[in-house]
Amino acid sequence: MEKVRLKVPATIANLVCGFDILGMAIDEPADDMEIRRLETPEIIIRHTDAFGLPEEPAENVAGIVLLKIMEHLKLKYGFEVIIHKKIKPGSGLGSSAASAAGAVVGANLLLGNILTKEEMVYYAMFGEKLASGARHADNIAPCIYGGITLVKSSDPVDIILLNAPDLWVTAVHPQVEVKTSDAREILKKTIPLKDAIQQWGNIAGLVAGIQNYDHALIRRSLNDVIIEPVRSILIPKFDEIKQKSLHAGALGGGISGSGPSVFMFSEEEKVSHTIAEIMKSAYDSISIESLVYVSRVNPSGIRIIKD
Ligand code: HSE
């Protein structure tokens, strides 16, 4: 195989209470990536979008991942990557993780499938480190494994693939800037034990709810007492959207990754579209442009596009 085309999905990290450990792949938006083997030991990155992302390999999240793979595996050849980015950078929908995960999955296919999924997560985390300063795997893991993943540990990499619930996901990306590095910087470095107890109760409840397809338990567990109270201040209309969505029948939801996107789960398609309208009109009312996506949980993650 000399060339591969991939559809690389957006991901929602944290899933409300699981900061840095839970994540989920969704269907839309998704990037298209083409990865080609080069005879020379170099990396070429090209974007067809207008986001102005760096193309110098050491400064590009896909590039840094491929440089690490070339170095560790002592490859005598290189890769060219063409990225058609549709997941907006800075959206909180795993844009950098998509480029990093797509690069490693593409390279692995061109190398004859020599890497395990854990190894692919390991390499892709170099991209996350470049993008946000932190080696977190909660966007990368669901992108590579599909569905919902639990990062039991990122060093060493230990990923648990959970069940994919039969739920709808509505996500809104208001066009305001929230940098992941800033959204991490403002978090408290220590937390009271009573908050920790409540939070790990919610995480355990959410994982049990997902594994047992127990929607009532998922609803009761989608509650974040540590991160959301601090970060939601950065997101206009957050409380209003959440309250109105819950009133309209959402199962629950919160900030997508580090924001500014907000997501909501619902059991029925009709409710997911009502929530899309609630989100859109909330931002219209304050003249903030927004993009809204209605998706299913994506059980397969990155897909190969056949020509
Ligand atoms: N878990 C990370 C955070 C995701 O919330 O900062 C960043 O996309």
Side-chain angles (χ1 to χ4, degrees):
M1 197 189 266
E2 292 298 314
K3 190 176 102 173
V4 64
R5 279 182 63 209
L6 302 173
K7 191 167 172 79
V8 187
T11 46
I12 292 179
N14 302 338
L15 291 187
V16 183
C17 51
F19 179 68
D20 275 3
I21 60 169
L22 291 174
M24 166 176 74
I26 55 176
D27 291 328
E28 292 297 334
D31 291 348
D32 288 334
M33 289 179 76
E34 283 175 52
I35 299 113
R36 195 162 67 85
R37 218 168 117 156
L38 298 174
E39 291 315 312
T40 43
E42 62 176 331
I43 303 293
I44 301 172
I45 307 286
R46 288 199 286 128
H47 288 101
T48 59
D49 49 71
F51 297 124
L53 292 168
E55 293 187 336
E56 180 60 38
E59 290 167 22
N60 177 279
V61 293
I64 192 88
V65 168
L66 295 173
L67 286 172
K68 290 288 175 193
I69 292 175
M70 275 178 69
E71 181 191 319
H72 289 185
L73 303 182
K74 300 186 173 49
L75 299 182
K76 302 254 181 314
Y77 50 85
F79 301 95
E80 179 184 33
V81 185
I82 303 173
I83 305 173
H84 313 273
K85 187 155 279 302
K86 295 177 194 147
I87 311 166
K88 278 198 160 192
S91 56
L93 292 169
S95 181
S96 57
S99 295
V104 68
V105 167
N108 180 51
L109 288 165
L110 299 179
L111 289 167
N113 249 322
I114 59 168
L115 301 173
T116 63
K117 284 185 174 165
E118 276 88 0
E119 285 169 332
M120 289 196 268
V121 170
Y122 168 82
Y123 283 115
M125 278 195 291
F126 285 100
E128 290 295 61
K129 170 87 180 152
L130 179 69
S132 72
R135 279 180 67 79
H136 58 89
D138 50 344
N139 288 104
I140 287 166
C143 205
I144 291 175
Y145 286 68
I148 297 184
T149 51
L150 165 68
V151 181
K152 190 185 166 304
S153 156
S154 58
D155 183 19
V157 177
D158 187 354
I159 308 293
I160 298 164
L161 177 62
L162 305 180
N163 289 333
D166 183 20
L167 291 174
W168 291 84
V169 181
T170 315
V172 63
H173 174 203
Q175 307 296 291
V176 292
E177 191 182 6
V178 176
K179 284 203 181 112
T180 298
S181 47
D182 293 345
R184 295 181 79 85
E185 195 54 44
I186 59 167
L187 298 176
K188 294 181 193 136
K189 302 297 174 272
T190 55
I191 50 174
L193 185 60
K194 73 170 187 16
D195 291 351
I197 292 168
Q198 223 181 318
Q199 193 85 348
W200 59 56
N202 285 331
I203 297 169
L206 182 56
V207 170
I210 291 167
Q211 290 307 80
N212 294 322
Y213 302 101
D214 181 341
H215 292 181
L217 181 53
I218 292 175
R219 182 198 301 272
R220 296 206 302 282
S221 308
L222 284 169
N223 183 25
D224 174 5
V225 297
I226 295 173
I227 310 292
E228 184 180 290
V230 181
R231 281 187 172 169
S232 58
I233 291 154
L234 303 174
I235 304 173
K237 294 280 179 182
F238 178 82
D239 291 334
E240 179 186 317
I241 287 173
K242 190 165 171 181
Q243 288 321 315
K244 285 189 173 167
S245 299
L246 291 173
H247 188 71
L251 210 56
I255 304 169
S256 176
S258 57
S261 292
V262 175
F263 82 101
M264 289 288 152
F265 277 123
S266 35
E267 291 173 298
E268 288 165 37
E269 182 176 9
K270 194 164 168 277
V271 175
S272 70
H273 288 286
T274 305
I275 293 168
E277 282 163 28
I278 289 170
M279 291 169 162
K280 186 96 193 99
S281 64
Y283 289 114
D284 284 351
S285 74
I286 50 169
S287 303
I288 291 181
E289 278 185 39
S290 62
L291 295 167
V292 184
Y293 305 96
V294 176
S295 278
R296 307 285 298 178
V297 179
N298 172 341
S300 41
I302 295 175
R303 266 195 313 110
I304 299 176
I305 303 172
K306 304 255 190 267
D307 287 319

